Amino acid sequence: MPIPPGALRAFLDTDYRVRLRRGGWTVIRIGAPLPSVLHACVKEPGTPWGFITAWNPLAQMTSRAINRPAQRELLSALRQLGALPCAGVGVGSGGKNDWREPGLFVTGLDFATLDALGRRFRQAAIVRGVGHGPAELRVLA
C-alpha cells in the first residue's frame, strides 16, 4: 500500500524530537545532520541509528487503544535486540492538522533490522541515518 496523499510531505516536514537523558529535547530533521547533542549516542562513525514508532500503521490515524500496546511491543522488541532507545515524539504541523505521535530513537541496529521492525509494525516509513550524517526518510510502504 503506497503512502497516502499528503503523508510524504508530512513525514518530510515533521520534527522528530528526542528526549535527552539529562533533560530537554533535540530535533532530528530529514536531510539535516544528526544533532550534535546526540553524537555521544553514536560513538563510532559508521554506527546506524533510527527513529521509529509503532503508532498509526501505514500512516493512518489509529486509536490509542491500538497504538499504545503496539508501541509497548516495539519497545520490548528493541530491548530484546539489546537496544536502549531514547523516548521521542514526532511533531507535525499543518494548520488544523497538527499532530504528535510517540517515537523511539535507537542506535546500533543495522538498517535491515530497522526496516524489518518498521515493516513488522506496519509503518509506511522510518527515519534513519549513519553516524553524524543526515537523517533520511526510508519509505517502507
Side-chain angles (χ1 to χ4, degrees), residues 16-18 25 51-55 71 74 85-90 101-105:
Y16 298 94
R17 298 180 185 175
V18 178
W25 296 86
F51 190 98
I52 188 168
T53 187
W55 277 61
Q71 189 76 355
L74 172 59
C86 294
V89 62
E101 68 180 31
L104 298 163
F105 174 75

Side-chain angles (χ1 to χ4, degrees), residues 5-141:
L8 181 60
R9 176 66 9 215
F11 279 120
L12 295 171
D13 291 342
T14 294
D15 286 348
Y16 298 94
R17 298 180 185 175
V18 178
R19 180 172 295 280
L20 302 174
R21 296 197 191 274
R22 294 191 170 178
W25 296 86
T26 191
V27 176
I28 296 171
R29 289 193 175 89
I30 303 298
L34 188 71
S36 61
V37 296
L38 294 176
H39 289 184
C41 299
V42 183
K43 295 180 174 93
E44 300 294 323
T47 300
W49 54 266
F51 190 98
I52 188 168
T53 187
W55 277 61
N56 299 324
L58 300 174
Q60 299 294 316
M61 294 299 288
T62 305
S63 72
R64 287 180 186 233
I66 292 171
N67 284 327
R68 282 184 175 169
Q71 189 76 355
R72 284 192 295 272
E73 187 180 338
L74 172 59
L75 181 58
S76 177
L78 289 167
R79 288 180 175 155
Q80 287 175 0
L81 291 167
L84 298 171
C86 294
V89 62
V91 179
S93 63
K96 311 188 294 189
N97 299 322
D98 290 357
W99 58 271
R100 301 170 74 85
E101 68 180 31
L104 298 163
F105 174 75
V106 62
T107 62
L109 298 180
D110 61 41
F111 282 174
T113 301
L114 289 169
D115 288 357
L117 284 167
R119 286 187 179 99
R120 175 177 164 188
F121 290 93
R122 301 179 54 230
Q123 294 301 297
I126 62 171
V127 177
R128 65 186 196 177
V130 176
H132 304 162
E136 69 175 20
L137 184 67
R138 168 72 166 148
V139 175
L140 301 172

